[in-house]
Amino acid sequence: QSHKLKYGKKDLSRAYQSVPQPKIKDVSSSEFFSNSPPTVFVGSKLKYPNVNVGILAPPVRVEDVELYDSHKRWVKESKCIQEILDFRGNLINSRFLSNVHSPRGQTGGKFLDISQEVGMAKKAVDMEFQLKKKVKLSLKFDRVSKPVSSPADLKNVKIVENTKIERSVDKVFSDTDLKAADAVDYLYKKQLEDQKLSQLLSLGTMGLGKNRRLVPTRWSITTVDDIIGKNLIKKVKDCSIIEDYSLYYGNFLGNYYLVFLFPEVFSYELFEMYLPGSSWNPTIGNQVGEITVATDYESYNGRKNYASNCVGGYYAARLPLLETLKKNKKQASILVLRFETPDYWAGLGVWVVREAMKKTMDTKKFIFNDRESMIEQGRKIILDELNFDINNILVRSQLLEKIKTQMKLSSFFS
């Protein structure tokens, strides 16, 4: 309440200047035997159509290396931010230069073939790496993907065991007549984890043969969330509208979510509030910062452009909401308020948003007979927990404005 609101897009210019680096050791040699979780990262910093493709692995073989890059395990085992940074910081990003069009016709070269095999693997892969020079380990951060460990130019790499690939993944890889969006939907129905889906898309292992391409990891994550989300929206729109006003509240790694469900046709609006000292709103010295706010919205008719304010978090938060509606065979208008607190001091990627929303939707919901009671309860929760009055945000809501002012056919018969 005491903070001023700064309304608009995220200001990330000073993000991560003072993020603690994990305690990790330098690699003693440019050659090492290790295993990949299996994880492959496609970078987006080069001039298009060039990209860097990197196979991630620790400097030595680790028995339980899957834990170094598993959202599911991190959530299940309640890993803290520092532990996750330590896992990511101990992975070497052994990379090589490639072109986004390399996967077409499966002629991308030896390194890309190996990267695709690793990316499709079901379990960790034992490998031998030879770098052009020794690497000093550190971390680099991104707005959408997880923190990326130290890049090292790859001289040679070899898989030293037979990889195991899911039959469904191999089917998609072999079917060059299947569109990428249809492949994502197929694998989603086969219950492949979102983390694996985005990796497969980024490596050009799905889609029409003539159209296959490498996709930077940060874009493939959001693309997968959007493809699955749009498919679920079509199904949700065929369902009946919820009967009551429902409220959910939950948190994960310092991210707090308040979710309002209104008995209306589907629409979705997200507000993200970044409190001073949080990941995307760092404070400088003793300076008291302002709360920054980002928002995006879609009506029943959907969006035609990218959610440029909330970016990947918009699509990541929407997905668990739609999964809950589909499971209950209902539709609703949904208003989401996200509060990023100083407890979330280092950005870990939009997977945190997705998992936070899953946890929120798994909590016991509050049910109300009218809109006013639900909003007041939500206001009380955030006021008590975070000392913030959400009325400052609700007055800006396009979704609430439409609910309050839009005329319904039923009003003519009441």
Side-chain angles (χ1 to χ4, degrees):
Q1 286 174 295
S2 59
H3 294 294
K4 295 180 180 179
L5 289 176
K6 182 179 180 182
Y7 191 67
K9 296 185 179 181
K10 301 176 182 178
D11 178 10
L12 307 180
S13 59
R14 298 190 301 271
Y16 296 126
Q17 283 190 355
S18 58
V19 172
Q21 296 293 303
K23 297 178 181 179
I24 45 187
K25 298 180 180 179
D26 293 345
V27 181
S28 58
S29 173
S30 60
E31 298 183 15
F32 60 97
F33 171 70
S34 184
N35 51 350
S36 179
T39 303
V40 181
F41 179 82
V42 180
S44 60
K45 303 301 182 184
L46 299 181
K47 185 176 180 180
Y48 188 89
N50 296 319
V51 291
N52 277 316
V53 181
I55 302 171
L56 272 60
V60 294
R61 191 181 187 282
V62 177
E63 189 65 31
D64 190 17
V65 73
E66 290 89 352
L67 186 57
Y68 280 51
D69 189 41
S70 174
H71 308 164
K72 186 176 180 179
R73 292 276 303 277
W74 294 342
V75 174
K76 183 178 180 181
E77 299 178 24
S78 302
K79 299 300 182 183
C80 68
I81 292 176
Q82 188 60 61
E83 288 176 308
I84 293 171
L85 290 179
D86 287 342
F87 289 134
R88 294 294 296 181
N90 278 288
L91 293 174
I92 299 174
N93 178 17
S94 302
R95 68 183 187 181
F96 60 94
L97 179 65
S98 188
N99 184 293
V100 296
H101 303 300
S102 296
R104 296 183 182 180
Q106 308 308 313
T107 57
K110 172 188 172 182
F111 285 177
L112 182 58
D113 291 343
I114 291 175
S115 298
Q116 289 183 325
E117 186 174 349
V118 172
M120 291 189 292
K122 183 179 179 180
K123 296 182 179 180
V125 181
D126 285 346
M127 308 181 70
E128 291 179 353
F129 293 89
Q130 185 177 3
L131 307 178
K132 292 183 178 179
K133 60 181 181 179
K134 290 191 295 184
V135 59
K136 184 177 181 180
L137 297 183
S138 62
L139 275 177
K140 293 184 178 180
F141 295 84
D142 185 87
R143 297 174 69 179
V144 178
S145 59
K146 297 182 293 295
V148 182
S149 45
S150 303
D153 292 335
L154 191 61
K155 184 176 182 180
N156 199 13
V157 63
K158 182 169 66 173
I159 296 176
V160 295
E161 66 171 338
N162 293 324
T163 56
K164 296 180 180 180
I165 299 174
E166 293 273 11
R167 182 177 298 179
S168 58
V169 173
D170 186 57
K171 173 181 170 61
V172 163
F173 178 68
S174 302
D175 190 348
T176 56
D177 294 322
L178 185 66
K179 293 181 178 179
D182 294 332
V184 169
D185 187 52
Y186 168 76
L187 293 176
Y188 173 73
K189 291 176 179 176
K190 291 292 183 178
Q191 298 184 331
L192 241 70
E193 293 181 30
D194 52 84
Q195 186 176 358
K196 193 70 172 182
L197 281 173
S198 62
Q199 179 163 278
L200 293 173
L201 181 63
S202 71
L203 287 171
T205 62
M206 56 178 71
L208 299 176
K210 63 180 181 179
N211 294 334
R212 290 190 178 187
R213 66 180 63 191
L214 296 173
V215 180
T217 299
R218 67 191 310 270
W219 300 121
S220 68
I221 293 170
T222 296
T223 300
V224 167
D225 285 341
D226 192 31
I227 289 173
I228 299 172
K230 285 178 178 176
N231 289 335
L232 290 175
I233 287 173
K234 292 176 183 177
K235 297 172 183 177
V236 164
K237 285 181 177 180
D238 290 332
C239 298
S240 60
I241 297 173
I242 60 173
E243 293 81 15
D244 302 301
Y245 295 86
S246 302
L247 175 66
Y248 295 83
Y249 176 68
N251 69 86
F252 176 60
L253 291 180
N255 291 268
Y256 292 77
Y257 279 85
L258 193 65
V259 181
F260 298 96
L261 268 61
F262 301 87
E264 308 280 345
V265 295
F266 176 78
S267 62
Y268 166 59
E269 186 173 28
L270 171 66
F271 282 89
E272 293 188 325
M273 275 64 69
Y274 315 105
L275 278 62
S278 62
S279 168
W280 295 117
N281 188 9
T283 54
I284 306 300
N286 296 322
Q287 176 184 348
V288 177
E290 299 176 333
I291 296 177
T292 58
V293 184
T295 181
D296 279 296
Y297 166 77
E298 67 181 275
S299 68
Y300 183 84
N301 298 320
R303 293 185 62 91
K304 294 184 179 180
N305 53 9
Y306 181 64
S308 58
N309 295 320
C310 298
V311 294
Y314 178 86
Y315 304 94
R318 187 181 66 177
L319 186 54
L321 296 170
L322 291 166
E323 289 174 331
T324 300
L325 290 176
K326 180 179 177 293
K327 178 181 177 181
N328 296 331
K329 297 180 179 180
K330 295 291 182 180
Q331 69 170 303
S333 286
I334 310 169
L335 174 60
V336 178
L337 306 184
R338 174 195 181 189
F339 298 87
E340 186 183 284
T341 70
D343 289 338
Y344 188 59
W345 50 268
L348 301 177
V350 296
W351 70 271
V352 173
V353 170
R354 196 180 304 109
E355 295 299 335
M357 186 58 76
K358 286 180 182 178
K359 281 181 170 290
T360 299
M361 299 311 291
D362 284 340
T363 60
K364 184 178 180 180
K365 64 181 178 181
F366 301 88
I367 298 176
F368 305 87
N369 294 323
D370 58 84
R371 181 176 66 236
E372 291 74 18
S373 298
M374 178 178 66
I375 291 177
E376 181 55 33
Q377 179 62 30
R379 178 178 178 272
K380 184 177 184 302
I381 290 173
I382 299 301
L383 202 57
D384 291 343
E385 294 285 336
L386 303 175
N387 192 32
F388 180 82
D389 190 344
I390 64 172
N391 285 342
N392 294 321
I393 297 299
L394 299 183
V395 294
R396 309 171 189 267
S397 170
Q398 296 182 59
L399 185 147
L400 278 180
E401 182 66 20
K402 290 199 174 185
I403 288 176
K404 293 176 182 178
T405 61
Q406 193 167 29
M407 185 74 73
K408 298 180 182 179
L409 285 174
S410 58
S411 64
F412 292 99
F413 303 99
S414 60

